CSV table of all heavy atoms in Angstrom, one decimal:
chain,number,residue,atom,x,y,z
V,45,ARG,N,8.7,11.0,-9.2
V,45,ARG,CA,10.1,11.1,-8.8
V,45,ARG,C,10.2,11.4,-7.3
V,45,ARG,O,11.2,10.9,-6.6
V,45,ARG,CB,10.8,12.3,-9.5
V,45,ARG,CG,11.0,12.0,-11.0
V,45,ARG,CD,11.4,13.2,-11.8
V,45,ARG,NE,12.7,13.7,-11.4
V,45,ARG,CZ,13.9,13.2,-11.7
V,45,ARG,NH1,13.9,12.2,-12.6
V,45,ARG,NH2,15.0,13.7,-11.2
V,48,ASN,N,9.9,8.0,-5.4
V,48,ASN,CA,11.2,7.3,-5.5
V,48,ASN,C,12.4,8.0,-4.9
V,48,ASN,O,13.5,7.6,-4.9
V,48,ASN,CB,11.5,7.0,-7.0
V,48,ASN,CG,12.6,6.0,-7.2
V,48,ASN,OD1,13.5,6.2,-8.0
V,48,ASN,ND2,12.6,4.9,-6.5
V,50,LEU,N,13.9,10.5,-6.0
V,50,LEU,CA,14.8,11.1,-7.0
V,50,LEU,C,14.8,12.6,-6.8
V,50,LEU,O,15.7,13.3,-7.1
V,50,LEU,CB,14.5,10.7,-8.4
V,50,LEU,CG,14.8,9.3,-8.8
V,50,LEU,CD1,14.4,8.9,-10.2
V,50,LEU,CD2,16.3,9.0,-8.6
V,72,ARG,N,19.2,9.4,5.6
V,72,ARG,CA,19.8,8.7,4.4
V,72,ARG,C,19.3,7.3,4.3
V,72,ARG,O,19.0,6.8,3.2
V,72,ARG,CB,21.3,8.7,4.5
V,72,ARG,CG,21.9,10.0,4.0
V,72,ARG,CD,23.4,10.0,4.3
V,72,ARG,NE,24.0,8.8,3.7
V,72,ARG,CZ,24.5,8.8,2.5
V,72,ARG,NH1,24.5,9.9,1.7
V,72,ARG,NH2,25.1,7.7,2.0
V,76,LEU,N,17.2,5.6,1.3
V,76,LEU,CA,17.6,4.4,0.6
V,76,LEU,C,16.5,3.3,0.6
V,76,LEU,O,16.2,2.6,-0.4
V,76,LEU,CB,18.9,3.8,1.2
V,76,LEU,CG,20.2,4.4,0.7
V,76,LEU,CD1,21.4,3.6,1.4
V,76,LEU,CD2,20.3,4.2,-0.8
V,79,ARG,N,13.7,4.1,-1.7
V,79,ARG,CA,14.0,3.8,-3.1
V,79,ARG,C,14.0,2.3,-3.4
V,79,ARG,O,13.6,1.9,-4.5
V,79,ARG,CB,15.4,4.3,-3.4
V,79,ARG,CG,15.5,5.8,-3.5
V,79,ARG,CD,16.8,6.3,-3.8
V,79,ARG,NE,16.9,7.7,-4.1
V,79,ARG,CZ,18.0,8.5,-3.8
V,79,ARG,NH1,19.1,7.9,-3.4
V,79,ARG,NH2,17.9,9.8,-4.1
V,80,ARG,N,14.3,1.5,-2.4
V,80,ARG,CA,14.4,0.1,-2.6
V,80,ARG,C,13.0,-0.5,-2.6
V,80,ARG,O,12.8,-1.6,-3.1
V,80,ARG,CB,15.2,-0.6,-1.5
V,80,ARG,CG,16.7,-0.3,-1.7
V,80,ARG,CD,17.6,-0.7,-0.6
V,80,ARG,NE,18.9,-0.2,-0.9
V,80,ARG,CZ,20.0,-0.3,-0.1
V,80,ARG,NH1,19.9,-1.0,1.0
V,80,ARG,NH2,21.2,0.2,-0.4
V,82,THR,N,10.5,1.1,-4.1
V,82,THR,CA,9.8,1.6,-5.3
V,82,THR,C,10.7,1.5,-6.5
V,82,THR,O,11.9,1.7,-6.3
V,82,THR,CB,9.5,3.1,-5.0
V,82,THR,OG1,10.7,3.8,-4.7
V,82,THR,CG2,8.5,3.3,-3.9
V,84,PHE,N,11.5,2.3,-10.6
V,84,PHE,CA,11.3,3.4,-11.5
V,84,PHE,C,11.6,3.0,-13.0
V,84,PHE,O,12.6,2.4,-13.3
V,84,PHE,CB,12.1,4.6,-11.2
V,84,PHE,CG,11.6,5.9,-11.6
V,84,PHE,CD1,10.9,6.7,-10.7
V,84,PHE,CD2,11.8,6.4,-12.8
V,84,PHE,CE1,10.3,7.9,-11.0
V,84,PHE,CE2,11.3,7.7,-13.2
V,84,PHE,CZ,10.5,8.4,-12.3
V,86,PHE,N,12.1,4.7,-16.6
V,86,PHE,CA,12.4,6.1,-17.1
V,86,PHE,C,11.9,6.2,-18.6
V,86,PHE,O,11.9,5.3,-19.3
V,86,PHE,CB,13.9,6.3,-17.1
V,86,PHE,CG,14.4,6.4,-15.7
V,86,PHE,CD1,14.8,5.2,-15.0
V,86,PHE,CD2,14.6,7.6,-15.0
V,86,PHE,CE1,15.3,5.3,-13.7
V,86,PHE,CE2,15.1,7.6,-13.7
V,86,PHE,CZ,15.4,6.5,-13.1
V,88,ASN,N,13.4,7.7,-20.9
V,88,ASN,CA,14.5,7.4,-21.9
V,88,ASN,C,15.3,6.1,-21.6
V,88,ASN,O,16.5,6.0,-21.8
V,88,ASN,CB,15.5,8.6,-22.0
V,88,ASN,CG,16.1,8.9,-20.6
V,88,ASN,OD1,15.8,8.2,-19.6
V,88,ASN,ND2,17.1,9.8,-20.6
V,90,ALA,N,17.2,4.8,-19.7
V,90,ALA,CA,18.3,4.9,-18.7
V,90,ALA,C,18.9,3.6,-18.3
V,90,ALA,O,19.2,3.4,-17.1
V,90,ALA,CB,17.7,5.6,-17.4
V,91,LEU,N,19.1,2.7,-19.3
V,91,LEU,CA,19.9,1.5,-19.0
V,91,LEU,C,21.3,1.8,-18.7
V,91,LEU,O,21.9,2.8,-19.2
V,91,LEU,CB,19.7,0.5,-20.1
V,91,LEU,CG,18.3,0.0,-20.4
V,91,LEU,CD1,18.4,-1.1,-21.5
V,91,LEU,CD2,17.7,-0.5,-19.2
V,92,PHE,N,22.0,0.9,-17.9
V,92,PHE,CA,23.4,1.1,-17.7
V,92,PHE,C,24.1,0.7,-18.9
V,92,PHE,O,24.1,-0.5,-19.3
V,92,PHE,CB,23.9,0.3,-16.5
V,92,PHE,CG,23.1,0.5,-15.2
V,92,PHE,CD1,22.5,-0.5,-14.5
V,92,PHE,CD2,22.9,1.8,-14.8
V,92,PHE,CE1,21.8,-0.3,-13.3
V,92,PHE,CE2,22.1,2.1,-13.6
V,92,PHE,CZ,21.6,1.0,-12.9
V,93,ALA,N,24.8,1.7,-19.6
V,93,ALA,CA,25.4,1.4,-20.9
V,93,ALA,C,26.6,0.5,-20.8
V,93,ALA,O,26.9,-0.1,-21.8
V,93,ALA,CB,25.9,2.8,-21.5
V,94,ASN,N,27.2,0.3,-19.6
V,94,ASN,CA,28.3,-0.6,-19.5
V,94,ASN,C,27.9,-2.0,-19.1
V,94,ASN,O,28.8,-2.8,-18.8
V,94,ASN,CB,29.3,0.0,-18.5
V,94,ASN,CG,28.7,0.2,-17.1
V,94,ASN,OD1,27.5,0.4,-17.0
V,94,ASN,ND2,29.6,0.0,-16.1
V,95,LYS,N,26.6,-2.3,-19.1
V,95,LYS,CA,26.2,-3.6,-18.7
V,95,LYS,C,25.3,-4.2,-19.7
V,95,LYS,O,24.5,-3.5,-20.4
V,95,LYS,CB,25.4,-3.5,-17.3
V,95,LYS,CG,26.2,-2.7,-16.3
V,95,LYS,CD,26.3,-3.5,-15.0
V,95,LYS,CE,27.3,-2.8,-14.1
V,95,LYS,NZ,28.5,-3.5,-13.8
V,103,GLU,N,21.8,-6.4,-11.7
V,103,GLU,CA,22.6,-5.4,-10.9
V,103,GLU,C,22.0,-5.1,-9.5
V,103,GLU,O,22.7,-5.2,-8.5
V,103,GLU,CB,22.7,-4.1,-11.7
V,103,GLU,CG,23.6,-3.0,-11.1
V,103,GLU,CD,25.1,-3.4,-11.1
V,103,GLU,OE1,25.4,-4.5,-11.7
V,103,GLU,OE2,25.9,-2.7,-10.6
V,104,ARG,N,20.7,-4.8,-9.5
V,104,ARG,CA,20.1,-4.5,-8.2
V,104,ARG,C,20.2,-5.7,-7.2
V,104,ARG,O,20.4,-5.5,-6.0
V,104,ARG,CB,18.7,-4.1,-8.5
V,104,ARG,CG,17.7,-4.7,-7.6
V,104,ARG,CD,16.9,-3.6,-6.9
V,104,ARG,NE,16.5,-4.1,-5.5
V,104,ARG,CZ,15.7,-3.5,-4.8
V,104,ARG,NH1,15.2,-2.3,-5.1
V,104,ARG,NH2,15.4,-3.9,-3.6
V,106,LEU,N,22.3,-8.1,-7.1
V,106,LEU,CA,23.7,-8.3,-6.7
V,106,LEU,C,24.2,-7.3,-5.7
V,106,LEU,O,24.8,-7.6,-4.7
V,106,LEU,CB,24.6,-8.3,-8.0
V,106,LEU,CG,24.6,-9.5,-8.9
V,106,LEU,CD1,25.4,-9.1,-10.2
V,106,LEU,CD2,25.2,-10.7,-8.2
V,107,VAL,N,23.9,-6.0,-6.1
V,107,VAL,CA,24.6,-4.9,-5.4
V,107,VAL,C,23.8,-4.4,-4.2
V,107,VAL,O,24.3,-4.2,-3.1
V,107,VAL,CB,24.9,-3.7,-6.3
V,107,VAL,CG1,25.5,-2.6,-5.6
V,107,VAL,CG2,25.7,-4.2,-7.5
V,108,VAL,N,22.4,-4.3,-4.4
V,108,VAL,CA,21.6,-3.7,-3.4
V,108,VAL,C,21.1,-4.8,-2.4
V,108,VAL,O,21.2,-4.7,-1.2
V,108,VAL,CB,20.4,-3.0,-4.0
V,108,VAL,CG1,19.5,-2.5,-2.9
V,108,VAL,CG2,20.9,-1.8,-4.8
V,110,LYS,N,22.3,-7.9,-2.4
V,110,LYS,CA,23.5,-8.8,-2.0
V,110,LYS,C,23.2,-10.3,-2.2
V,110,LYS,O,23.6,-11.1,-1.4
V,110,LYS,CB,23.9,-8.5,-0.6
V,110,LYS,CG,24.1,-7.1,-0.2
V,110,LYS,CD,25.5,-6.6,-0.3
V,110,LYS,CE,25.6,-5.2,0.3
V,110,LYS,NZ,26.3,-4.3,-0.7
V,136,TYR,N,24.4,-5.5,-25.3
V,136,TYR,CA,24.5,-4.2,-24.6
V,136,TYR,C,23.4,-3.3,-25.1
V,136,TYR,O,22.9,-3.4,-26.2
V,136,TYR,CB,25.9,-3.6,-24.9
V,136,TYR,CG,27.0,-4.3,-24.1
V,136,TYR,CD1,27.7,-5.3,-24.7
V,136,TYR,CD2,27.2,-3.9,-22.8
V,136,TYR,CE1,28.8,-5.9,-23.9
V,136,TYR,CE2,28.2,-4.6,-22.0
V,136,TYR,CZ,29.0,-5.6,-22.6
V,136,TYR,OH,29.9,-6.2,-21.9
V,138,ALA,N,23.4,-0.4,-26.3
V,138,ALA,CA,23.6,0.3,-27.6
V,138,ALA,C,23.2,-0.5,-28.8
V,138,ALA,O,22.9,0.0,-29.9
V,138,ALA,CB,25.1,0.7,-27.7
V,139,SER,N,23.1,-1.8,-28.6
V,139,SER,CA,22.8,-2.7,-29.8
V,139,SER,C,21.3,-3.1,-29.8
V,139,SER,O,20.9,-3.9,-30.6
V,139,SER,CB,23.7,-3.9,-29.8
V,139,SER,OG,23.4,-4.7,-28.7
V,152,ARG,N,14.3,-4.5,-15.3
V,152,ARG,CA,15.1,-4.0,-14.1
V,152,ARG,C,14.2,-3.6,-13.0
V,152,ARG,O,14.5,-3.9,-11.8
V,152,ARG,CB,16.0,-2.9,-14.6
V,152,ARG,CG,16.9,-2.3,-13.5
V,152,ARG,CD,17.9,-1.3,-14.1
V,152,ARG,NE,17.2,-0.1,-14.6
V,152,ARG,CZ,17.8,0.9,-15.2
V,152,ARG,NH1,19.0,0.9,-15.4
V,152,ARG,NH2,17.1,1.9,-15.6
Y,119,ASP,N,26.0,10.0,-18.6
Y,119,ASP,CA,24.6,10.3,-18.8
Y,119,ASP,C,23.9,10.4,-17.4
Y,119,ASP,O,23.9,9.4,-16.6
Y,119,ASP,CB,24.0,9.2,-19.6
Y,119,ASP,CG,22.5,9.5,-19.9
Y,119,ASP,OD1,22.1,10.6,-19.6
Y,119,ASP,OD2,21.9,8.5,-20.5
Y,120,ARG,N,23.3,11.5,-17.1
Y,120,ARG,CA,22.7,11.7,-15.8
Y,120,ARG,C,21.6,10.8,-15.5
Y,120,ARG,O,21.3,10.4,-14.4
Y,120,ARG,CB,22.2,13.2,-15.7
Y,120,ARG,CG,22.3,13.8,-14.4
Y,120,ARG,CD,21.6,15.2,-14.4
Y,120,ARG,NE,20.4,15.2,-13.7
Y,120,ARG,CZ,20.3,15.3,-12.3
Y,120,ARG,NH1,21.4,15.4,-11.6
Y,120,ARG,NH2,19.1,15.3,-11.7
Y,121,SER,N,20.9,10.4,-16.6
Y,121,SER,CA,19.8,9.4,-16.3
Y,121,SER,C,20.3,8.1,-15.8
Y,121,SER,O,19.6,7.4,-15.0
Y,121,SER,CB,19.0,9.2,-17.6
Y,121,SER,OG,19.7,8.5,-18.6
Y,122,GLN,N,21.5,7.7,-16.1
Y,122,GLN,CA,22.0,6.5,-15.6
Y,122,GLN,C,22.3,6.6,-14.1
Y,122,GLN,O,22.2,5.6,-13.4
Y,122,GLN,CB,23.3,6.1,-16.3
Y,122,GLN,CG,23.0,5.6,-17.7
Y,122,GLN,CD,24.3,5.0,-18.4
Y,122,GLN,OE1,25.0,4.2,-17.8
Y,122,GLN,NE2,24.5,5.5,-19.6
Y,123,THR,N,22.8,7.8,-13.7
Y,123,THR,CA,23.1,7.9,-12.2
Y,123,THR,C,21.7,7.9,-11.5
Y,123,THR,O,21.6,7.4,-10.4
Y,123,THR,CB,23.9,9.2,-11.9
Y,123,THR,OG1,23.1,10.3,-12.4
Y,123,THR,CG2,25.2,9.2,-12.6
Y,124,GLU,N,20.7,8.5,-12.1
Y,124,GLU,CA,19.4,8.5,-11.5
Y,124,GLU,C,18.9,7.0,-11.4
Y,124,GLU,O,18.3,6.6,-10.4
Y,124,GLU,CB,18.4,9.3,-12.3
Y,124,GLU,CG,18.6,10.8,-12.1
Y,124,GLU,CD,17.4,11.6,-12.4
Y,124,GLU,OE1,16.6,11.1,-13.3
Y,124,GLU,OE2,17.2,12.7,-11.9
Y,125,ALA,N,19.1,6.3,-12.5
Y,125,ALA,CA,18.6,4.9,-12.5
Y,125,ALA,C,19.3,4.1,-11.4
Y,125,ALA,O,18.7,3.3,-10.7
Y,125,ALA,CB,18.9,4.3,-13.9
Y,126,ALA,N,20.6,4.4,-11.2
Y,126,ALA,CA,21.4,3.7,-10.2
Y,126,ALA,C,20.8,4.0,-8.8
Y,126,ALA,O,20.6,3.1,-8.0
Y,126,ALA,CB,22.9,4.0,-10.2
Y,127,LEU,N,20.5,5.3,-8.6
Y,127,LEU,CA,19.9,5.7,-7.3
Y,127,LEU,C,18.5,5.1,-7.1
Y,127,LEU,O,18.1,4.7,-6.1
Y,127,LEU,CB,19.9,7.2,-7.2
Y,127,LEU,CG,21.2,7.9,-7.1
Y,127,LEU,CD1,21.0,9.4,-7.0
Y,127,LEU,CD2,22.1,7.4,-5.9
Y,128,SER,N,17.8,5.1,-8.2
Y,128,SER,CA,16.4,4.6,-8.1
Y,128,SER,C,16.3,3.2,-7.7
Y,128,SER,O,15.3,2.8,-7.1
Y,128,SER,CB,15.7,4.8,-9.5
Y,128,SER,OG,15.9,3.7,-10.3
Y,129,ILE,N,17.3,2.4,-8.0
Y,129,ILE,CA,17.2,1.0,-7.6
Y,129,ILE,C,17.8,0.8,-6.2
Y,129,ILE,O,17.9,-0.3,-5.6
Y,129,ILE,CB,17.8,0.0,-8.5
Y,129,ILE,CG1,19.3,0.3,-8.8
Y,129,ILE,CG2,17.1,-0.1,-9.9
Y,129,ILE,CD1,20.0,-0.8,-9.6
Y,130,GLY,N,18.2,1.9,-5.6
Y,130,GLY,CA,18.6,1.9,-4.1
Y,130,GLY,C,20.1,1.7,-3.9
Y,130,GLY,O,20.5,1.4,-2.8
Y,131,MET,N,20.9,2.0,-5.0
Y,131,MET,CA,22.3,2.0,-4.8
Y,131,MET,C,22.7,3.2,-3.9
Y,131,MET,O,22.1,4.3,-4.0
Y,131,MET,CB,23.1,2.1,-6.1
Y,131,MET,CG,23.1,0.9,-6.9
Y,131,MET,SD,24.3,1.1,-8.2
Y,131,MET,CE,23.9,-0.3,-9.3
Y,132,THR,N,23.8,3.0,-3.2
Y,132,THR,CA,24.4,4.2,-2.5
Y,132,THR,C,25.2,5.0,-3.5
Y,132,THR,O,25.5,4.5,-4.6
Y,132,THR,CB,25.3,3.7,-1.3
Y,132,THR,OG1,26.4,3.0,-1.9
Y,132,THR,CG2,24.6,2.9,-0.3
Y,133,ASN,N,25.6,6.2,-3.1
Y,133,ASN,CA,26.5,7.0,-4.0
Y,133,ASN,C,27.8,6.2,-4.4
Y,133,ASN,O,28.2,6.3,-5.5
Y,133,ASN,CB,26.8,8.3,-3.3
Y,133,ASN,CG,25.7,9.3,-3.5
Y,133,ASN,OD1,25.0,9.4,-4.5
Y,133,ASN,ND2,25.5,10.2,-2.5
Y,135,GLN,N,28.3,2.9,-4.4
Y,135,GLN,CA,28.0,1.8,-5.3
Y,135,GLN,C,27.8,2.4,-6.8
Y,135,GLN,O,28.3,1.8,-7.7
Y,135,GLN,CB,26.8,1.1,-4.9
Y,135,GLN,CG,27.0,0.3,-3.6
Y,135,GLN,CD,25.7,-0.3,-3.0
Y,135,GLN,OE1,24.6,0.3,-3.2
Y,135,GLN,NE2,25.8,-1.4,-2.3
Y,138,ARG,N,31.2,3.3,-8.2
Y,138,ARG,CA,32.0,2.2,-8.5
Y,138,ARG,C,31.5,1.3,-9.7
Y,138,ARG,O,32.2,0.9,-10.5
Y,138,ARG,CB,32.1,1.3,-7.3
Y,138,ARG,CG,33.5,1.2,-6.8
Y,138,ARG,CD,33.7,0.2,-5.6
Y,138,ARG,NE,32.6,-0.6,-5.2
Y,138,ARG,CZ,31.8,-0.3,-4.2
Y,138,ARG,NH1,32.0,0.8,-3.5
Y,138,ARG,NH2,30.8,-1.1,-3.8
Y,139,ARG,N,30.2,1.1,-9.7
Y,139,ARG,CA,29.6,0.1,-10.6
Y,139,ARG,C,29.2,0.7,-12.0
Y,139,ARG,O,29.2,0.1,-13.0
Y,139,ARG,CB,28.5,-0.6,-10.0
Y,139,ARG,CG,28.7,-1.1,-8.6
Y,139,ARG,CD,28.7,-2.5,-8.4
Y,139,ARG,NE,28.1,-3.4,-9.4
Y,139,ARG,CZ,28.5,-4.6,-9.6
Y,139,ARG,NH1,29.4,-5.1,-8.9
Y,139,ARG,NH2,27.9,-5.4,-10.5
Y,140,ILE,N,28.8,2.0,-11.9
Y,140,ILE,CA,28.2,2.6,-13.1
Y,140,ILE,C,29.0,3.7,-13.7
Y,140,ILE,O,29.3,3.7,-14.9
Y,140,ILE,CB,26.7,3.1,-12.8
Y,140,ILE,CG1,25.9,2.0,-12.1
Y,140,ILE,CG2,26.0,3.6,-14.1
Y,140,ILE,CD1,25.7,0.7,-13.0
Y,141,VAL,N,29.3,4.7,-12.8
Y,141,VAL,CA,29.9,5.9,-13.3
Y,141,VAL,C,31.4,5.7,-13.7
Y,141,VAL,O,31.8,6.0,-14.8
Y,141,VAL,CB,29.8,7.0,-12.3
Y,141,VAL,CG1,30.5,8.3,-12.8
Y,141,VAL,CG2,28.3,7.3,-12.1
Y,143,PRO,N,33.4,3.0,-14.3
Y,143,PRO,CA,33.7,2.2,-15.5
Y,143,PRO,C,33.5,3.0,-16.8
Y,143,PRO,O,34.3,2.8,-17.7
Y,143,PRO,CB,32.8,1.0,-15.4
Y,143,PRO,CG,32.4,0.9,-13.9
Y,143,PRO,CD,32.4,2.3,-13.4
Y,144,GLN,N,32.4,3.7,-16.9
Y,144,GLN,CA,32.1,4.5,-18.1
Y,144,GLN,C,33.0,5.7,-18.3
Y,144,GLN,O,33.5,6.0,-19.4
Y,144,GLN,CB,30.7,4.9,-18.2
Y,144,GLN,CG,29.7,3.7,-18.2
Y,144,GLN,CD,28.3,4.1,-18.4
Y,144,GLN,OE1,27.9,4.8,-19.4
Y,144,GLN,NE2,27.5,3.7,-17.5
Y,220,ARG,N,33.8,-2.1,-26.5
Y,220,ARG,CA,33.0,-3.2,-27.0
Y,220,ARG,C,31.5,-3.0,-26.7
Y,220,ARG,O,30.7,-3.3,-27.5
Y,220,ARG,CB,33.5,-4.5,-26.4
Y,220,ARG,CG,33.4,-5.7,-27.4
Y,220,ARG,CD,33.9,-7.0,-26.7
Y,220,ARG,NE,35.3,-7.0,-26.6
Y,220,ARG,CZ,36.0,-7.7,-25.6
Y,220,ARG,NH1,35.3,-8.4,-24.8
Y,220,ARG,NH2,37.3,-7.7,-25.6
Y,221,ALA,N,31.2,-2.5,-25.5
Y,221,ALA,CA,29.9,-2.4,-25.0
Y,221,ALA,C,29.1,-1.4,-25.8
Y,221,ALA,O,27.9,-1.3,-25.8
Y,221,ALA,CB,29.8,-2.1,-23.5
Y,222,TYR,N,29.8,-0.5,-26.5
Y,222,TYR,CA,29.1,0.7,-27.1
Y,222,TYR,C,28.9,0.6,-28.6
Y,222,TYR,O,28.4,1.5,-29.2
Y,222,TYR,CB,29.9,1.9,-26.7
Y,222,TYR,CG,30.0,2.0,-25.2
Y,222,TYR,CD1,31.1,1.4,-24.6
Y,222,TYR,CD2,29.0,2.6,-24.4
Y,222,TYR,CE1,31.2,1.5,-23.2
Y,222,TYR,CE2,29.2,2.6,-23.1
Y,222,TYR,CZ,30.3,2.1,-22.4
Y,222,TYR,OH,30.4,2.1,-21.1
Y,223,SER,N,29.4,-0.5,-29.2
Y,223,SER,CA,29.2,-0.6,-30.6
Y,223,SER,C,27.9,-1.3,-31.0
Y,223,SER,O,27.4,-2.1,-30.2
Y,223,SER,CB,30.4,-1.4,-31.2
Y,223,SER,OG,30.4,-2.7,-30.5
Y,224,ARG,N,27.3,-0.8,-32.0
Y,224,ARG,CA,26.0,-1.3,-32.4
Y,224,ARG,C,26.1,-2.7,-33.1
Y,224,ARG,O,27.0,-3.0,-33.7
Y,224,ARG,CB,25.3,-0.3,-33.3
Y,224,ARG,CG,24.8,0.8,-32.6
Y,224,ARG,CD,24.5,2.0,-33.4
Y,224,ARG,NE,24.2,3.1,-32.5
Y,224,ARG,CZ,23.0,3.3,-32.0
Y,224,ARG,NH1,22.0,2.5,-32.2
Y,224,ARG,NH2,22.7,4.3,-31.2
Side-chain angles (χ1 to χ4, degrees):
Chain V
R45 293 170 61 81
N48 192 227
L50 286 176
R72 277 173 56 90
L76 275 183
R79 285 183 177 150
R80 289 168 186 180
T82 54
F84 206 95
F86 295 83
N88 62 355
L91 295 187
F92 305 130
N94 59 329
K95 310 234 170 244
E103 186 69 4
R104 134 123 212 186
L106 286 170
V107 180
V108 176
K110 314 263 188 233
Y136 285 95
S139 68
R152 181 173 63 186
Chain Y
D119 185 9
R120 216 183 108 80
S121 68
Q122 287 186 49
T123 59
E124 285 201 333
L127 295 178
S128 87
I129 59 175
M131 283 194 195
T132 61
N133 279 326
Q135 290 169 334
R138 241 185 10 260
R139 312 244 345 154
I140 308 300
V141 177
Q144 295 185 59
R220 213 181 290 154
Y222 304 88
S223 54
R224 282 165 188 279

